[in-house]
Amino acid sequence: MLFRSLGFRGHAPFVCLERPTAALLESELAQVLAYADLRAERTSEILSQIDGQWAHWSSILPMRPDTTPHTLALLTVALQWVIPLELQFKHALGCPRPIELSAQVQPCVSTPGHGSHPMGHAVQAFLLAGLLQALAGIDADDPRGIQLTRTAFRISINRVVAGLHFPVDLVAGLVL
């Protein structure tokens, strides 16, 4: 098993991700294939979530460049910080994509050239959901907080629906 840890110099790691076993990925392949049935109804949504998910977040908490430029700048910086972090894990763990285990997957969008674990879109979506919740000063059980979390899950699950990830990648992205 391959591990990748993240911590500060001289301190214990605060997160440690393990490479999923081949047996786990093989067992989750059936779920990836089953999710393909949702592609027809979710394709436009999946396409809108490839780069930047601003429209989805702005539908919950109104944000526009002319009214909330500093909020959008902060969120952009957060994404610029977290993407290299998630890629360190992806490269170190080197997990295959579903298409590498079965030609039947047929992803509905281009498959990224790096490993699948952890799911980068999950890392980014849950980071943004948490930041927006904190910036807006809302609780997790507030309707807007609930919707932010639901949106993060929807964005993440759509990556499995698209055929790019296994469910375990979503969980690792949430943890990271």
Side-chain angles (χ1 to χ4, degrees):
M1 290 188 192
L2 183 61
F3 292 90
R4 177 71 175 146
S5 300
L6 179 67
F8 294 109
R9 286 175 256 217
H11 292 58
F14 60 87
V15 67
C16 183
L17 296 180
E18 182 177 313
R19 184 176 194 203
T21 64
L24 175 61
L25 297 180
E26 195 67 43
S27 72
E28 288 193 347
L29 188 57
Q31 192 172 358
V32 173
L33 292 169
Y35 268 139
D37 291 343
L38 297 173
R39 287 185 191 162
E41 69 185 59
R42 293 198 187 181
T43 297
S44 62
E45 192 177 319
I46 289 167
L47 292 172
S48 74
Q49 295 166 346
I50 291 175
D51 290 318
Q53 304 123 10
W54 302 116
H56 300 278
W57 302 115
S58 296
S59 70
I60 302 165
L61 296 174
M63 296 181 291
R64 295 190 338 240
D66 61 326
T67 58
T68 57
H70 300 296
T71 300
L72 293 172
L74 176 65
L75 296 175
T76 300
V77 168
L79 289 175
Q80 290 172 342
W81 171 81
V82 80
I83 290 171
L85 176 75
E86 72 195 36
L87 286 171
Q88 285 182 21
F89 281 89
K90 286 176 175 287
H91 293 305
L93 297 173
C95 295
R97 298 269 177 179
I99 188 67
E100 295 174 58
L101 299 186
S102 173
Q104 291 178 313
V105 173
Q106 294 183 299
C108 65
V109 295
S110 296
T111 303
H114 48 71
S116 69
H117 192 80
M119 180 189 292
H121 275 68
V123 174
Q124 296 164 36
F126 285 101
L127 172 66
L128 291 183
L131 280 173
L132 287 169
Q133 193 174 329
L135 289 170
I138 55 179
D139 295 324
D141 58 350
D142 177 280
R144 295 169 299 169
I146 292 168
Q147 196 58 34
L148 288 168
T149 301
R150 284 181 179 164
T151 298
F153 272 110
R154 179 76 174 216
I155 289 168
S156 302
I157 291 168
N158 278 345
R159 300 300 281 180
V160 180
V161 172
L164 301 174
H165 283 281
F166 297 96
V168 69
D169 300 335
L170 186 162
V171 175
L174 171 64
V175 168
L176 186 58

